[in-house]
Amino acid sequence: MLVISAIDRLGDGVTPSMLAASENMRSSNLAAVLRELEASGLIIRTQDALDRRKVRVQLTDAGRHVLQLSRQRRDDWLMAAMMACLTGEEREQLIDAGELLERLAAYSDFASIDKENRL
């Protein structure tokens, strides 16, 4: 699901090297995952029209459906957990915190921080 989500996030036509960089995966590991996804009919790989050495990856309709189902299950679980475990005030706090977490998740300049300052 990590790779399927990344393809969706980065857009159809993403290259395997872009996926590997985005998900911090070794290219050999990613290649194995892409083979499995393609064999399952969840992605298709095509040669780049301008540079035949490059491969582009995109989700199939089945891949989009699997991603949608996964997201729906996750959302259903989260809603059920929130309703069962949190008060109304706590749910509001969580929603507010979610906005802050989205901003943090969008931060992509981690490579510029020197190794001594990393958590």
Side-chain angles (χ1 to χ4, degrees):
M1 288 311 304
L2 177 75
V3 173
I4 290 174
S5 293
I7 294 168
D8 182 62
R9 184 179 67 254
L10 296 171
D12 280 343
V14 66
T15 65
S17 59
M18 292 165 64
L19 281 170
S22 170
E23 302 309 307
N24 295 318
M25 294 179 73
R26 291 191 345 224
S27 59
S28 59
N29 291 344
L30 178 64
V33 171
L34 292 176
R35 279 192 300 275
E36 289 180 34
L37 293 173
E38 188 173 38
S40 298
L42 301 177
I43 65 162
I44 56 172
R45 293 188 275 186
T46 57
Q47 285 185 325
D48 184 277
L50 300 175
D51 185 348
R52 310 264 314 151
R53 296 170 296 174
K54 289 185 182 179
V55 172
R56 300 288 177 172
V57 180
Q58 65 185 56
L59 295 176
T60 63
D61 288 342
R64 289 185 210 296
H65 183 70
V66 165
L67 180 59
Q68 178 187 11
L69 289 176
S70 175
R71 288 176 174 166
Q72 186 62 52
R73 280 193 304 270
R74 179 197 62 210
D75 291 349
D76 291 347
W77 172 86
L78 181 58
M79 182 59 72
M82 287 173 59
M83 296 305 289
C85 300
L86 303 177
T87 65
E89 183 179 331
E90 290 170 330
R91 287 191 296 271
E92 288 178 23
Q93 290 173 351
L94 185 60
I95 289 168
D96 291 342
E99 293 171 8
L100 298 175
L101 290 172
E102 284 182 9
R103 288 195 344 230
L104 290 173
Y107 180 74
S108 62
D109 198 23
F110 188 71
S112 71
I113 300 172
D114 74 32
K115 292 181 181 179
E116 292 177 26
N117 293 327
R118 290 189 182 171
L119 298 175

